[in-house]
Amino acid sequence: MPRYLSLVRVQENTIDMADADPGFEARMGALFEEITKAGVMLDTAGLRPTAESSRLTWSDGKVSVTDGPFTETKEVVGGYALLQCKDRAEAMEWSRRFLAVHPPHWTVGLEVREVEEMRGA
């Protein structure tokens, strides 16, 4: 079965967990339990703030490093999920459900991409 990487995109510093409605954590927990029992969720995690990260760039035969925060970036990857689904439609449905549990006043986006499996591995 194909695997899909779902990248959670947020505008850093605009989402505060203290601002979530009282049922948010329970809804998210129920969804994670369901998706795990269905055998779809392979891995998931949130990511630390960009202030604690670094970007490495390969250019002209050299590696350069830029330490965060990255003020020029509006939207960042705030987390990920690795899903194993029968097809893209199933991955998209789980992704829609993930977004729907968030408070309506938050802006959260997902980028869903199929993992390209290595041939012969």
Side-chain angles (χ1 to χ4, degrees):
M1 275 203 301
R3 295 180 302 158
Y4 296 86
L5 181 63
S6 177
L7 300 169
V8 181
R9 297 198 173 271
V10 297
Q11 289 187 8
E12 197 165 41
N13 302 320
T14 63
I15 293 180
D16 183 357
M17 289 302 292
D19 190 33
D21 60 86
F24 171 64
E25 288 186 31
R27 291 191 310 273
M28 188 65 75
L31 178 64
F32 279 8
E33 183 177 336
E34 182 182 356
I35 196 170
T36 301
K37 284 182 179 178
V40 171
M41 179 74 74
L42 300 177
D43 191 26
T44 188
L47 300 176
R48 301 286 303 159
T50 61
E52 300 173 26
S53 67
S54 299
R55 289 184 178 163
L56 288 80
T57 304
W58 175 258
S59 180
D60 295 324
K62 297 177 185 170
V63 175
S64 62
V65 178
T66 305
D67 292 326
F70 309 113
T71 55
E72 74 282 358
T73 304
K74 261 182 102 172
E75 191 178 73
V76 299
V77 176
Y80 72 93
L82 184 59
L83 311 174
Q84 188 165 16
C85 301
K86 64 183 177 193
D87 55 26
R88 185 175 189 283
E90 182 184 15
M92 294 297 290
E93 180 57 27
W94 284 112
S95 297
R96 281 186 197 91
R97 292 183 60 194
F98 171 80
L99 288 175
V101 302
H102 288 80
H105 61 281
W106 286 7
T107 300
V108 180
L110 289 180
E111 180 180 337
V112 179
R113 298 176 67 180
E114 185 172 351
V115 174
E116 187 169 353
E117 302 298 340
M118 294 181 59
R119 306 273 185 231

